[in-house]
Amino acid sequence: VWVDTERFYPLKRQTAWTNDGTRTVLTTTYTNVSFVASPPAATFEPTITENTTVRHPSTPETEQYADVSRLQAAANVTVPRPPVPSSYRLAYATRTTGRVGGVGLRFTNQSGSLTVAKYDFTYPDNGGDQTVTVDGRQAVLTRGLTTTLSWSCSDYRYTVRGRGVPERTLVD
């Protein structure tokens, strides 16, 4: 990417890739570019009339704890205690309150991260890449940069996510 040094706008982009042994390079160049020195303030303001309804959604509050016992003391739900591989250490524990409440644990090591969350909001599974069984319950495994395993149990939703973590570890 070539960037205008005064306004930090990309003026040229180049992308290259190889497909079936054939190298392709695509270059896009912007010419005759002009900038409005100072756009009017109204450019970034919404038009609000007497018929406009403005809603301010409540955002959840999140508190962070240094250890699981302090989280458990503050939480009104039991905190999951997953069997985590010995190379992982607790990075932090959280409690979220608001329309949806829950608890979460984040573990890390030098090559990956693992999070476990429990929250009081359930919804039906919508696809995923594979259905697996977790403690006798159907769960959905979704693969990607971060692999996610989710299931509902009674009034709670559980989610286990891993980056750089084997799928079997997430299910276990």
Side-chain angles (χ1 to χ4, degrees):
V1 176
W2 289 257
V3 178
D4 172 80
T5 58
E6 184 180 345
R7 294 192 172 79
F8 303 105
Y9 186 83
L11 297 175
K12 183 176 179 180
R13 299 173 191 213
Q14 188 174 75
T15 305
W17 66 92
T18 302
N19 186 17
D20 289 332
T22 303
R23 178 101 171 133
T24 303
V25 178
L26 174 67
T27 303
T28 304
T29 304
Y30 301 98
T31 58
N32 298 323
V33 176
S34 61
F35 299 93
V36 176
S38 296
T43 301
F44 302 103
E45 294 178 11
T47 303
I48 299 176
T49 66
E50 64 274 357
N51 295 327
T52 303
T53 301
V54 178
R55 292 189 179 101
H56 299 278
S58 62
T59 56
E61 295 288 326
T62 301
E63 298 171 69
Q64 194 166 330
Y65 299 87
D67 61 59
V68 178
S69 61
R70 288 185 181 161
L71 169 61
Q72 185 61 72
N76 59 357
V77 299
T78 57
V79 177
R81 301 282 182 140
V84 178
S86 62
S87 66
Y88 285 83
R89 298 287 177 250
L90 180 71
Y92 55 82
T94 58
R95 178 175 72 122
T96 303
T97 55
R99 188 177 61 82
V100 175
V103 293
L105 305 171
R106 181 169 181 87
F107 302 90
T108 60
N109 69 9
Q110 293 207 6
S111 63
S113 64
L114 176 64
T115 60
V116 177
K118 174 184 178 181
Y119 43 99
D120 61 3
F121 181 78
T122 62
Y123 54 88
D125 293 319
N126 59 349
D129 296 315
Q130 182 179 353
T131 301
V132 298
T133 301
V134 174
D135 196 29
R137 290 176 174 71
Q138 181 175 315
V140 173
L141 185 69
T142 304
R143 296 176 182 91
L145 184 57
T146 300
T147 301
T148 303
L149 179 67
S150 297
W151 70 96
S152 293
C153 179
S154 299
D155 295 330
Y156 295 98
R157 182 80 176 170
Y158 293 83
T159 301
V160 179
R161 289 189 172 95
R163 180 178 273 187
V165 179
E167 289 177 8
R168 186 74 239 161
T169 300
L170 298 179
V171 174
D172 290 345

